[in-house]
Amino acid sequence: MTTPDYATYIAGLPRVLAGAAAVLRDAEGRVLLVEPNYREGWTLPGGTIESNDGETPRQGAWRETVEEIGLDLRLGRLLAVDWASGTGRPPIVAYLYDGGVLSEDDFKAIRLQEEELLSWRLVPREELGDHLRGSLHGRVLAALDVLAEGSGTAELENGVRVDR
């Protein structure tokens, strides 16, 4: 029996995508959402983790926040991890970090990445379902629950908590 070389072995392993985002809020608890120009719906500042370049989830969330809204923020703790299946793509593992409560000066300093984003807005919890599609809605709600409860990181599958 011939043993395949390591590169062949790695090439044959299942694939998964990875993304990371920051949950940023105002003093009233509203969540900052951004409107991408490349698809319908709203999302959090965040995106794909550049893992081929050695980027970690936390680094990816920070980089995407700087690129998309121009704020260089120190991200807090990991709030939620979601395994989200999809059609026509590999599953995505999504990491949500606490971006903190922004000041009025922070909001005034937002500079959108015009190549990808149309606008931003602050959305109260009860209206998030009107703006967020698919599992992202459940992911953000779980992150807000973790913040409110002071509990540990939420584990989700397709936007639904499985750690309770």
Side-chain angles (χ1 to χ4, degrees):
M1 179 175 156
T2 307
T3 305
D5 66 35
Y6 188 68
T8 303
Y9 167 73
I10 293 298
L13 291 175
R15 298 285 174 246
V16 63
L17 304 174
V23 179
L24 305 160
R25 295 148 346 264
D26 70 357
E28 297 174 33
R30 296 177 298 178
V31 178
L32 185 140
L33 300 182
V34 293
E35 181 184 21
N37 62 17
Y38 51 87
R39 66 172 172 82
E40 288 188 35
W42 293 75
T43 191
L44 297 171
T48 302
I49 299 165
E50 302 295 339
S51 57
N52 286 349
D53 297 332
E55 187 173 69
T56 67
R58 177 176 295 278
Q59 291 167 339
W62 171 82
R63 177 187 51 77
E64 288 283 351
T65 300
V66 172
E67 288 177 1
E68 291 188 351
I69 62 173
L71 298 181
D72 183 355
L73 304 169
R74 184 173 187 276
L75 298 179
R77 68 189 184 103
L78 180 62
L79 301 174
V81 177
D82 189 12
W83 177 275
S85 302
T87 304
R89 64 156 173 80
I92 294 173
V93 177
Y95 299 82
L96 293 189
Y97 291 91
D98 182 3
V101 176
L102 302 181
S103 69
E104 286 301 317
D105 287 341
D106 291 327
F107 289 111
K108 290 177 186 172
I110 290 176
R111 298 293 175 263
L112 289 179
Q113 181 184 33
E114 294 179 4
E115 298 82 25
E116 291 185 17
L117 301 176
L118 298 171
S119 64
W120 66 273
R121 68 171 45 171
L122 292 166
V123 178
R125 179 188 177 103
E126 59 273 7
E127 295 176 20
L128 288 170
D130 297 333
H131 296 84
L132 301 176
R133 297 169 45 162
S135 60
L136 180 56
H137 180 230
R139 195 178 308 149
V140 173
L141 292 180
L144 293 175
D145 289 345
V146 165
L147 286 165
E149 298 164 1
S151 58
T153 302
E155 178 189 354
L156 299 97
E157 291 175 7
N158 300 309
V160 178
R161 284 191 82 157
V162 296
D163 62 336
R164 293 191 165 177

